Amino acid sequence: MSDKTTGWTRDEMAARAAKELEDGFYVNLGIGIPTLVANHIPEGMDVTLQSENGMLGMGPFPVAGEENPDLINAGKQTITTLPKSSFFDSATSFAMIRGGHIDLSILGAMEVAENGDIANWMIPGKMVKGMGGAMDLVAGVKRCIALFDHTNKRGESKFLKSCTLPLTGKNCIDMVITDLGVFARDGEQRRFRLVEMATGVSVEEIKAKTDADVIYE
């Protein structure tokens, strides 16, 4: 049951993103809310999760008490293996990404712009622990989905006309999923269109909390 009166919880957002998975896909999940998608892969669907730190075929998160500190994803969270899991070096992992062998990347975001730009790796003046693989992912993966809270802690829109933070990639996001709804970007115009609203959310609320120019028809 949702703990919010309107909009999706983070787990519900991850479950919605999991609906974009397809049988046979190779998928990379970013840090934060995207990692929760691993718990919502439909039963019977063959999806292989790839991590840029050198693992293919990640399992779900471990149950409490059974964590192995040597088994972590790119976000340094403990994970589990599957019978098909394999391990390799980072060079091989990034070769998979840069070679176009990953079907879908689901990334967290600090900001996404109406032209498909994304900023998700640093805030100027704050410590950066590592750039991660996001810049390669947005450039080399066939389809990218940004999964993030619609507004920041101050209630300001994170879905903007243009990003204010250093970019991770330009014109690379195909779909935005937030706690308020789903925005697909396709067609010749390549503009985001509201295609689904979260529980109890109205178009008026989304418009009020969105700076980006979005098609609502």
Side-chain angles (χ1 to χ4, degrees), residues 75-96:
K76 300 179 177 56
Q77 297 169 302
T78 53
I79 54 176
T80 60
T81 58
L82 299 171
K84 66 179 180 180
S85 298
S86 58
F87 302 90
F88 34 84
D89 59 23
S90 291
T92 303
S93 178
F94 276 85
M96 292 178 186

Side-chain angles (χ1 to χ4, degrees), residues 18 20-30 37-38 40-42 44-52 54-60 79-88 93 96-97 101-106 137 141:
E20 300 300 318
L21 303 175
E22 295 183 23
D23 199 47
F25 263 17
Y26 288 83
V27 178
N28 186 295
L29 300 178
V37 175
H40 296 280
I41 297 173
M45 180 180 286
D46 180 20
V47 170
T48 302
L49 299 181
Q50 190 255 14
S51 175
E52 59 263 41
M55 184 176 180
L56 191 64
M58 288 186 294
I79 54 176
T80 60
T81 58
L82 299 171
K84 66 179 180 180
S85 298
S86 58
F87 302 90
F88 34 84
S93 178
M96 292 178 186
I97 296 169
H101 303 291
I102 306 300
D103 297 290
L104 174 66
S105 178
I106 301 177
L137 288 164
V141 172

Side-chain angles (χ1 to χ4, degrees), residues 32-166:
I33 303 172
T35 60
L36 300 176
V37 175
N39 296 330
H40 296 280
I41 297 173
E43 188 173 352
M45 180 180 286
D46 180 20
V47 170
T48 302
L49 299 181
Q50 190 255 14
S51 175
E52 59 263 41
N53 65 338
M55 184 176 180
L56 191 64
M58 288 186 294
F61 288 118
V63 298
E66 296 185 5
E67 301 92 343
N68 181 343
D70 291 328
L71 283 178
I72 58 173
N73 61 18
K76 300 179 177 56
Q77 297 169 302
T78 53
I79 54 176
T80 60
T81 58
L82 299 171
K84 66 179 180 180
S85 298
S86 58
F87 302 90
F88 34 84
D89 59 23
S90 291
T92 303
S93 178
F94 276 85
M96 292 178 186
I97 296 169
R98 294 170 185 172
H101 303 291
I102 306 300
D103 297 290
L104 174 66
S105 178
I106 301 177
L107 299 160
M110 298 173 184
E111 295 176 344
V112 170
E114 64 188 35
N115 64 351
D117 292 354
I118 180 173
N120 77 344
W121 71 282
M122 69 96 71
I123 297 174
K126 293 193 174 183
M127 184 180 71
V128 179
K129 295 182 180 179
M131 294 171 64
M135 292 178 185
D136 287 88
L137 288 164
V138 298
V141 172
K142 296 172 185 173
R143 184 171 183 241
C144 292
I145 295 174
L147 180 62
F148 58 101
D149 290 319
H150 204 93
T151 59
N152 61 25
K153 294 179 180 178
R154 296 182 298 277
E156 299 165 337
S157 178
K158 294 166 64 176
F159 195 10
L160 304 168
K161 291 188 175 300
S162 61
C163 293
T164 63
L165 296 172

